[in-house]
Amino acid sequence: EKTTRAGRPRAGLIFDMATVLSATLLGLSSPVGLRRFSPRIRMQAEWVESTVFFDPPVSSRFTPPLSSKQYLRASEAAVAKHAAIIFDQLRQEAAALSGSPLTSGLGERTVLSRSSLSEAAAAVLVEQLRSAGLGEGGAESAALWREVSSALAAPWLLRCVVCDLYKILDVDPAATGLLQPLLYFKGFHALTLHRVAHHLWARDDGPADRFAALRLQSAGASLFSVDIHPAATIGPGVMLDHASGVVIGGTAVVGSDVYMLHGVTLGATGKPMHGAKRHPTIADSVTLGAGATVLGDILVGSGVTVGASAVVTRAVPEGSTVVGVNKVLDGSQRPPSEAGEEDDYTWFYDI
């Protein structure tokens, strides 16, 4: 198959593999179920079946057998299996931290003394929250651990953590493995903390749950400079790259397989809405460039790219690129490509 300069499969293969995922993990990979797919699809499905439940080779850069986008429709059993694969890889990477007195204790506390991916992610978050003054007392400390660890062990949140980590490896060449984003990527921390806060907000066993969710939101804003209302809905397979200055309002909806850079605002227009939805909906597979501002109850369609510092107040058709103030680009702004200029991650336009 043709690949990009980054060594990743081109879009055609990714589309085919998404089809394979739905066939294989939804139980359609029997000889009867696969007859309606092309020989190429059947061959790829056999490859998925032969690799999806086996540990990938250990290397300096962990390579999952499927991308984050392809895991969005995976069964809970497949997600749990890959959570175990990720955790095994984390333990191997964390063992190397014993080589420095500055990291040996961190590796032991967050990964090596834990029994699962959800526990490791919870340990990283709880340590940071305690540094911000949450859970300092014995009872509150125990309650903080209990709430965070149990939330992250829930099937939907575990799916989000798995897909978020795989999305990071998909799009960020700076990620040299899985331990690096788990320990140090504040966008991953902020998003995972939001997922716990949203879990509490949606559970709503009483006013205390929502105040607890707001307390986690406040802590996340202080720790990570990321302000996401706990009512906001965010799908799995999302990366907040660099993350500083991201603001997401309470009625915003963000789909799956979304890449969002620092300074993005998903906000309201300021017009009184009297309880109605006032923040945007971001569909699947959208890229939001640094400093992009999307305002109001509008839909940004699937596959859209919002350019850096763009201001968007109108609906954007799927597959479009929007820059400036509501400027939707089409092919007429794209100059003839020069040899070696194009790739799957860069857009060249004359505006």
Side-chain angles (χ1 to χ4, degrees), residues 323-340:
V323 299
V325 180
N326 294 320
K327 175 65 174 178
V328 177
L329 304 178
D330 56 41
S332 65
Q333 289 94 6
R334 189 179 180 106
S337 61
E338 298 178 6

Side-chain angles (χ1 to χ4, degrees), residues 27 90 93 123 166 173 180 186-187 189 234 250 253 256 277 299 308:
L90 287 170
E93 293 180 23
Y166 281 173
Q180 183 184 2
K186 72 175 185 176
H189 299 160
I234 301 178
V253 176
S256 303
K277 189 176 184 299
L299 173 64

Side-chain angles (χ1 to χ4, degrees), residues 131-152:
S131 73
L134 273 74
E136 291 181 315
E140 186 174 277
S141 178
L144 179 64
W145 170 257
R146 184 172 61 251
E147 291 286 8
V148 174
S149 60
S150 64
L152 292 177

Side-chain angles (χ1 to χ4, degrees), residues 158-171:
L158 183 62
R159 177 186 300 270
C160 289
V161 170
V162 167
C163 291
D164 292 348
L165 286 170
Y166 281 173
K167 177 65 174 178
I168 291 170
L169 293 187
D170 279 348
V171 300

Side-chain angles (χ1 to χ4, degrees), residues 255-310:
S256 303
D257 190 43
V258 170
Y259 179 54
M260 186 183 308
L261 283 107
H262 48 285
V264 167
T265 297
L266 305 181
T269 62
K271 176 183 176 181
M273 298 297 291
H274 308 292
K277 189 176 184 299
R278 62 191 184 279
H279 299 106
T281 295
I282 308 299
D284 296 345
S285 304
V286 169
T287 296
L288 296 160
T293 300
V294 186
L295 302 177
D297 180 20
I298 61 172
L299 173 64
V300 176
S302 61
V304 163
T305 297
V306 181
S309 300

